[in-house]
């Protein structure tokens, strides 16, 4: 047992309470099968001594494991890892858990009739299949077999030129050699992790953040430090405090319509985070999948547009505004990192599909792209307005949110004491799928939020789904106010 807990690392300078840090890491060890069913957990005093923490902290963590059905205690003996059979779940409960576990891995399993507010993926009716057919045929007629060979690791040169030209519209001036074509933003995040992170390195993320990024950083053995996000961007005070303690390899941010909160950075915060990155000699990884989808007059400029010091690695996804299955995106990478990034891309998939790169190049060159973006923006704007109107009419006022003005999702806050997983389970019974907020954290314990996206639902279904959710929420937060779900929260025994 002793070596099994060697990997546990707690840090009292982090905003997450120590007992939650310990709970999360024990939970991971159980999920990974390192700690086996019915195996005894280390005695409280011994573990506390070993980690240099108070015994109460260990008690809190063990109690939390018990309350989640992951451990059980035997009087006079100790605490043990639960075996699945010991807490035989109800069939319904099991189904909910499976859904949640799949969501943690970035997938949602949806029945045909379900109204899916959990997914931020556009519906296929929005995909520009007709123009794609015309352009792909043009490429085949023009390039023949050339389109099917291996392509340059960094990407098809004419496409990289078109991307440079496209970026000028956003005040980003770069050379073709700074542009790297990737097979989707997720691959970009993974390649950057591969190129920069060594086991035990520290990475800063906004909290909450995009789950796919957390998983990529964890897979490289990164120590993840969560910095809270506020309505106008990352908490700079906390960031400064943490930068004075750690030296992160990079700070991973989404300055526009952040996933999951929908928040965007103010100009002042953009300026300050760039200054801080420069001062502390670290990079910023800017993940931009939604900046085109502003529904107000203000058209946001990416952080990269202000990057005078070459500290920003810009990752652009086309999945939400084009077709996610094409697996296409690009990065703009500071020169100092170019060769490392090329090596990482090479060992990942050699190069992104040449046929797709050539076809997308024609979208940019023949000015079809701008038309397409405008079409998507109008479609999504309509869904956004329908969504907000329905929410205003149906949700209890005690469920709070901030209209993001763009993007594809809205972040909701439940009143104190109410729980995202409970809302998730109740909605699932009504055929409505939502994303519980707790999925978007690394160690922070927050169960009061959920994210709803209108990307994958048409207007009629948005109205039906939000109405059904409104009934669920009214019943939960109003009629059950006296049940005080907060009483389920852990209170220490000692
Ligand atoms: C913030 C963020 N980054 C990256 C991705 C992955 O995008 P892609 O499909 O381009 O790999 C997603 C997908 O939802 C996302 O929300």
């Amino acid at each position: 047992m002793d070596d099994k807990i060697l990997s546990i690392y707690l840090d009292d300078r982090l905003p997450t309470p120590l007992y939650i840090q310990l709970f999360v890491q024990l939970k991971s060890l159980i999920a990974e099968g390192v700690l086996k069913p019915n195996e005894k957990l280390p005695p409280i005093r011994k573990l506390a001594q070993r980690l240099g923490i108070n015994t109460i902290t260990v008690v809190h963590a063990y109690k939390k494991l018990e309350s989640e059905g992951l451990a059980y205690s035997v009087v006079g003996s100790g605490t043990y890892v639960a075996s699945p059979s010991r807490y035989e779940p109800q069939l319904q409960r099991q189904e909910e858990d499976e859904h949640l576990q799949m969501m943690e891995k970035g997938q949602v399993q949806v029945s045909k009739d379900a109204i899916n507010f959990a997914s931020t993926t556009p519906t296929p009716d929005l995909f520009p299949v007709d123009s794609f057919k015309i352009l792909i045929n043009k490429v085949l007629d023009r390039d023949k077999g050339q389109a099917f060979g291996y392509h340059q690791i960094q990407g098809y040169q004419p496409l990289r030129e078109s991307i440079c030209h496209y970026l000028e519209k956003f005040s980003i001036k770069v050379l073709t050699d700074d542009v790297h074509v990737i097979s989707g933003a997720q691959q970009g995040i993974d390649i950057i992790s591969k190129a920069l992170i060594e086991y035990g390195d520290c990475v800063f993320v906004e909290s909450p953040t995009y789950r796919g990024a957390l998983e990529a950083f964890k897979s490289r053995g990164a120590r993840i430090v969560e910095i809270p996000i506020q309505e106008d961007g990352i908490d700079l005070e906390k960031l400064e405090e943490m930068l004075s303690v750690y030296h992160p390899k990079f700070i991973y941010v989404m300055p526009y319509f952040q996933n999951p909160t929908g928040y965007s950075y103010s100009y002042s915060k953009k300026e300050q985070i760039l200054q801080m990155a420069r001062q502390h000699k670290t990079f910023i990884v800017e993940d931009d999948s939604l900046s085109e989808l502003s529904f107000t007059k203000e058209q946001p400029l990416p952080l990269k547009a202000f990057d005078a010091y070459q500290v920003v690695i810009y990752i652009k996804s086309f999945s939400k505004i084009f077709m996610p299955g094409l697996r296409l995106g690009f990065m703009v990478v500071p020169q100092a990192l170019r060769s490392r990034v090329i090596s990482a891309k090479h060992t990942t998939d050699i190069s992104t599909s040449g046929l797709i790169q050539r076809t997308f190049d024609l979208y940019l060159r023949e000015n079809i792209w701008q038309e397409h973006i405008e079409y998507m923006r109008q479609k999504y704007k309509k869904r956004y307005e329908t969504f907000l109107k329905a929410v205003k009419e149906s949700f209890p006022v005690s469920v709070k949110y901030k209209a993001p003005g763009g993007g594809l999702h809205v972040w909701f806050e439940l009143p104190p004491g109410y729980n995202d997983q409970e809302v998730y389970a109740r909605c699932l019974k009504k055929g409505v799928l939502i994303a519980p907020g707790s999925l978007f954290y690394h160690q922070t314990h927050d169960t009061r939020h959920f994210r709803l996206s209108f990307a994958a639902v048409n207007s009629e279904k948005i109205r039906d789904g939000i109405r059904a959710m409104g009934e669920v929420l009214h019943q939960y937060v109003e009629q059950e106010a006296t049940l005080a779900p907060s009483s389920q929260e852990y209170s220490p025994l000692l």
Side-chain angles (χ1 to χ4, degrees), residues 120-121 183-187 189 210 252 254 259 287 289 316-320 324 327-329 451:
T120 56
T121 305
S183 310
Q186 184 64 38
Q187 186 186 70
I189 296 168
Y210 166 55
Y252 169 76
M254 289 162 270
N259 187 1
D287 185 353
S289 48
K316 178 76 199 160
S317 167
F318 293 123
S319 292
K320 312 298 176 201
R327 310 310 302 134
L328 184 70
R451 186 196 71 185

Side-chain angles (χ1 to χ4, degrees), residues 23 48 76 82 131 172 184 234 245 267 301 322 369 376 428 451 455-456:
F23 157 74
S131 59
I172 300 175
I234 200 161
V245 177
Y267 180 71
L301 288 182
F322 196 37
W369 184 244
M376 293 299 262
L428 195 63
R451 186 196 71 185

Side-chain angles (χ1 to χ4, degrees), residues 233-248:
I234 200 161
D235 179 343
L236 290 176
E237 240 173 73
K238 198 81 210 168
L239 178 63
E240 183 67 60
E241 189 188 324
M242 290 298 144
L243 282 170
S244 65
V245 177
Y246 296 99
H247 182 64

Side-chain angles (χ1 to χ4, degrees), residues 131-143 359:
S131 59
F132 192 80
K133 205 152 79 181
I134 294 169
L135 295 183
I136 206 167
N137 280 329
K138 264 194 185 183
V139 169
L140 290 172
D141 290 342
R142 185 192 68 189
D143 301 344
T359 308

